[in-house]
Amino acid sequence: MSYKPDARWTLTAAARYSGKQFNTLDNSDTNADTYFGTSKFFVVDLRAHVRLTPELTGAFGIDNVNNERYWSFHPMPQRTYTASLRWDL
């Protein structure tokens, strides 16, 4: 979901959910929270984007705000911060 309070700012929130999954054909997986396992998860991501000048934009984001620990064959990253600055000619 994105919200644009004015012409400069865009605020975005996203949610990802995955229920119980299996990696074997007969669904006999016993431990989803290990290597080669697949966990169920619910993750929330946030991002703010701002146009500073007509040529310069910046953004800051937080992925996995709730710091969920989950596996999909290997451990997925927990809370991650991103920042960007972009100059368009």
Side-chain angles (χ1 to χ4, degrees):
M1 172 175 59
S2 291
Y3 173 65
K4 197 165 176 69
D6 59 30
R8 294 183 53 216
W9 286 91
T10 303
L11 307 172
T12 303
R16 294 177 281 145
Y17 170 78
S18 177
K20 188 168 181 162
Q21 299 179 42
F22 298 96
N23 288 331
T24 58
L25 290 175
D26 63 356
N27 296 344
S28 63
D29 301 9
T30 57
N31 192 353
D33 298 323
T34 62
Y35 282 99
F36 297 96
T38 303
S39 309
K40 62 181 181 177
F41 61 87
F42 176 76
V43 177
V44 176
D45 303 328
L46 301 174
R47 181 173 169 91
H49 181 269
V50 62
R51 180 164 296 280
L52 301 168
T53 68
E55 300 84 17
L56 187 63
T57 58
F60 177 75
I62 305 172
D63 292 339
N64 196 355
V65 172
N66 51 326
N67 208 23
E68 180 83 16
R69 184 175 182 212
Y70 62 101
W71 298 72
S72 180
F73 191 76
H74 58 81
M76 300 302 286
Q78 289 177 270
R79 186 176 301 132
T80 306
Y81 300 93
T82 60
S84 66
L85 193 58
R86 177 176 164 166
W87 177 271
D88 293 320
L89 298 178

